[in-house]
Amino acid sequence: MTDKELYESLTYENKNAYLEMSDAEKDEMYSLCDDYRAFLDNGKTERECVGEALKMARAAGYTDMSEKDSLKPGDKVYKINRGKNIFMAVIGSAPMYEGLNIAGAHIDSPRLDLKQNPLYESTDMALLKTHYYGGIKKYQWPTIPLAIHGVVYDTDGAKREVVIGEKESDPVFVITDLLPHLAKEQMSKKMTEGIEAENMNVLIGGMPIKAEDVKEKVKFSILKILNARYGMNEKSFQSAEFEIVPAHKARNVGLDESFIGAYGHDDRVCAYTTLRGILDQTAPERTACAILVDKEEIGSMGNTGAQSAFMMMTIAEMVEKATGRCSVTDLNRVIENSAVMSSDVSSAVDPNYTSVSEANNASYAGRGVAIVKYTGARGKYDSSDANAEFVHEIGELMDNDGVIWQTGELGKVDQGGGGTIAQYVANLNMNVIDCGVPVLSMHAPFEVVAKSDVYMAYRAYKAFYKR
Ligand code: MN
Ligand code: MN
């Protein structure tokens, strides 16, 4: 062995996934990414993503677990929680107490929610007050076309689904911003203060109607339209869940179409590839599970977040239906032997801002799926730090299956940080590791991912189910 050969065998270098892929793999990648773009366009809220997942599951022969009295190997079941979580499983041939393989992603994305009393009139225009959800850079949201998605109860008490701004023939909405000519004061503010949350009001109308003794004639006109189309009155907003999201569609990016730009890659890119990974499972050894959760962007709180008891309750129901019993000890045994892929995105090194990352430990767009031992901030606070045994096991699984992967820390140690659902899953006493697609412009209205990494995430989740 020459010194050069020895050096190469002793050192490690990231690989670009595009360079490592066969033509057949590239074909599979293009087709997966076309399907993924359609998923993004149809799923801009957590509810819509659950709806899309349900369609995919039913088409693949999954049935509602509540309708089953018992479960046997090969059975495919799902369970939905409040329209915002879906748990899916393919029952394995191995005894359940040997543990489950669970991949979990979140389907909520940063956005603007409408307040409970949002509608008001000012300067002959009607506007909607918003309350931002998740970590956004507020200046990115004015002056882009916006759509409204949500559910509302009409005055007869019927639930209505509303989507406005997605069809070519639909109007869109917008938050206006100050012209540069008059922005002297605004432009000298810090970026966090340049756009104030209370100024993020969505323009919804401006055509007053002739009406005697009516003070707010534009607001009146908008309420008349809402009433005619959706049976709403102003009070209907109080219980409604309306989300303001970018109206643009997912698009290929780059002359070589190597990237996808879209709203909501975090974390629908991992949700979609997780779904595709479990849909490939027909007769797994260990029971294969996938869960899509809500509220990750605000701390995994609430009854639809990863911290809710929904997953454990569903696993208990599944164990009972598969084995005839599920004592607390039975459940504990299943859980302690289970492993979880926390399918969530990481940050890709941005060529415009390389200084915030530490080159040797950052993840890069195009270099495959990122497997992240720990997230958190500063001294690893708020992090689940996967143990060496589990990281080694997952690394071997990936290598043996030809998955191109890289490691990744979220920026330089003192720069900031972030978390995922991993820490909450780890609290349940399962092995868990973060694994997902590196994203450029994360949390922006138009995030960017490399197609190779989308494909490698799918391959990674698929390989994980072989565990
Ligand atoms: Mn995420
Ligand atoms: Mn996020």
Side-chain angles (χ1 to χ4, degrees):
M1 202 182 257
T2 65
D3 275 352
K4 183 170 180 275
E5 285 164 346
L6 181 61
Y7 176 80
E8 274 165 9
S9 74
L10 290 177
T11 53
Y12 161 82
E13 226 179 327
N14 276 346
K15 294 173 187 149
N16 187 291
Y18 286 115
L19 293 176
E20 301 296 317
M21 283 161 66
S22 67
D23 287 347
E25 285 177 318
K26 276 192 184 160
D27 287 346
E28 204 180 13
M29 172 189 80
Y30 287 125
S31 128
L32 177 86
C33 287
D34 286 348
D35 295 344
Y36 170 50
R37 285 204 322 275
F39 177 84
L40 283 170
D41 292 343
N42 294 327
K44 288 195 175 179
T45 67
E46 51 286 344
R47 286 176 192 269
E48 289 168 1
C49 287
V50 165
E52 290 301 301
L54 180 61
K55 267 191 241 163
M56 289 163 72
R58 281 196 180 136
Y62 282 71
T63 53
D64 190 335
M65 185 154 73
S66 321
E67 292 163 12
K68 291 239 177 202
D69 295 327
S70 66
L71 294 170
K72 58 176 191 315
D75 280 354
K76 297 172 179 175
V77 287
Y78 66 83
K79 190 152 178 128
I80 289 174
N81 179 28
R82 294 174 168 83
K84 296 176 179 181
N85 298 160
I86 184 167
F87 180 93
M88 292 163 61
V90 187
I91 308 302
S93 53
M96 227 165 241
Y97 66 79
E98 287 185 14
L100 316 168
N101 290 332
I102 307 169
H106 68 93
I107 44 177
D108 61 316
S109 295
R111 60 174 188 259
L112 309 175
D113 287 337
L114 287 195
K115 291 191 185 188
Q116 281 185 282
N117 294 305
L119 183 61
Y120 72 102
E121 178 171 332
S122 169
T123 64
D124 292 352
M125 284 178 261
L127 299 109
L128 296 168
K129 300 286 304 175
T130 65
H131 192 138
Y132 63 86
Y133 171 98
I136 63 161
K137 290 163 107 174
K138 285 172 287 183
Y139 69 83
Q140 294 175 334
W141 292 74
T143 71
I144 62 167
L146 299 167
I148 297 179
H149 291 232
V151 294
V152 62
Y153 280 85
D154 65 22
T155 51
D156 293 330
K159 191 164 98 175
R160 306 265 199 123
E161 283 176 25
V162 176
V163 178
I164 316 167
E166 296 294 339
K167 283 192 271 192
E168 281 300 315
S169 56
D170 279 355
V172 293
F173 308 92
V174 71
I175 296 167
T176 55
D177 192 9
L178 215 44
L179 62 170
H181 318 63
L182 296 178
K184 188 166 160 259
E185 200 185 319
Q186 183 196 39
M187 298 286 265
S188 64
K189 286 183 181 171
K190 288 198 295 184
M191 280 170 104
T192 48
E193 291 155 12
I195 303 293
E196 286 168 34
E198 296 301 345
N199 289 343
M200 299 180 78
N201 305 312
V202 176
L203 183 62
I204 189 176
M207 204 187 290
I209 43 175
K210 279 183 191 159
E212 285 207 21
D213 302 327
V214 172
K215 208 168 59 190
E216 299 171 310
K217 293 187 173 63
V218 183
K219 179 174 168 178
F220 182 42
S221 145
I222 292 301
L223 281 171
K224 278 180 79 172
I225 295 172
L226 289 172
N227 186 259
R229 292 193 192 158
Y230 307 105
M232 289 175 62
N233 60 18
E234 190 171 15
K235 199 164 186 291
S236 309
F237 280 112
Q238 292 179 348
S239 60
E241 283 181 349
F242 282 126
E243 304 182 9
I244 308 294
V245 297
H248 50 235
K249 302 266 182 272
R251 300 288 297 265
N252 291 327
V253 172
L255 205 52
D256 56 2
E257 306 192 0
S258 49
F259 300 98
I260 300 172
Y263 165 66
H265 281 314
D266 177 9
D267 183 35
R268 289 159 193 158
V269 67
C270 299
Y272 183 72
T273 44
T274 290
L275 279 172
R276 290 288 296 257
I278 195 167
L279 289 176
D280 283 349
Q281 308 307 312
T282 46
E285 211 173 289
R286 282 200 174 95
T287 295
C289 308
I291 184 166
L292 304 185
V293 294
D294 177 30
K295 298 283 184 277
E296 192 277 341
E297 296 295 356
I298 58 166
S300 298
M301 320 302 287
N303 52 18
T304 54
Q307 296 197 67
S308 112
F310 167 67
M311 183 170 80
M312 289 297 270
M313 289 162 69
T314 306
I315 290 173
E317 181 182 342
M318 182 175 74
V319 171
E320 191 176 304
K321 286 179 172 171
T323 67
R325 50 173 267 185
C326 183
S327 69
V328 173
T329 318
D330 294 331
L331 184 61
N332 289 348
R333 214 168 146 209
V334 173
I335 292 302
E336 70 188 2
N337 290 323
S338 294
V340 180
M341 275 284 200
S342 163
S343 315
D344 205 348
V345 299
S346 63
S347 72
V349 173
D350 186 323
N352 296 319
Y353 301 97
T354 51
S355 67
V356 299
S357 304
E358 186 264 290
N360 290 344
N361 288 284
S363 39
Y364 296 80
R367 297 190 188 170
V369 66
I371 296 185
V372 179
K373 186 177 186 293
Y374 50 85
T375 57
R378 304 179 312 281
K380 296 195 178 180
Y381 286 92
D382 299 321
S383 160
S384 158
D385 199 345
N387 59 30
E389 293 84 347
F390 190 55
V391 181
H392 180 258
E393 182 191 345
I394 295 297
E396 293 283 293
L397 263 174
M398 298 301 128
D399 288 343
N400 292 338
D401 228 47
V403 178
I404 307 300
W405 62 281
Q406 54 185 327
T407 59
E409 265 201 24
L410 191 66
K412 284 180 177 168
V413 179
D414 282 337
Q415 195 66 44
T420 63
I421 64 165
Q423 54 183 316
Y424 309 112
V425 171
N427 289 346
L428 302 170
N429 193 26
M430 293 190 257
N431 273 326
V432 56
I433 192 161
D434 283 302
C435 174
V437 175
V439 176
L440 290 159
S441 310
M442 196 195 291
H443 286 198
F446 196 69
E447 303 173 311
V448 174
V449 296
K451 287 182 180 174
S452 58
D453 306 341
V454 178
Y455 176 64
M456 285 302 164
Y458 157 68
R459 289 278 304 269
Y461 305 139
K462 207 170 144 172
F464 167 70
Y465 287 124
K466 292 185 180 168
R467 185 186 159 270

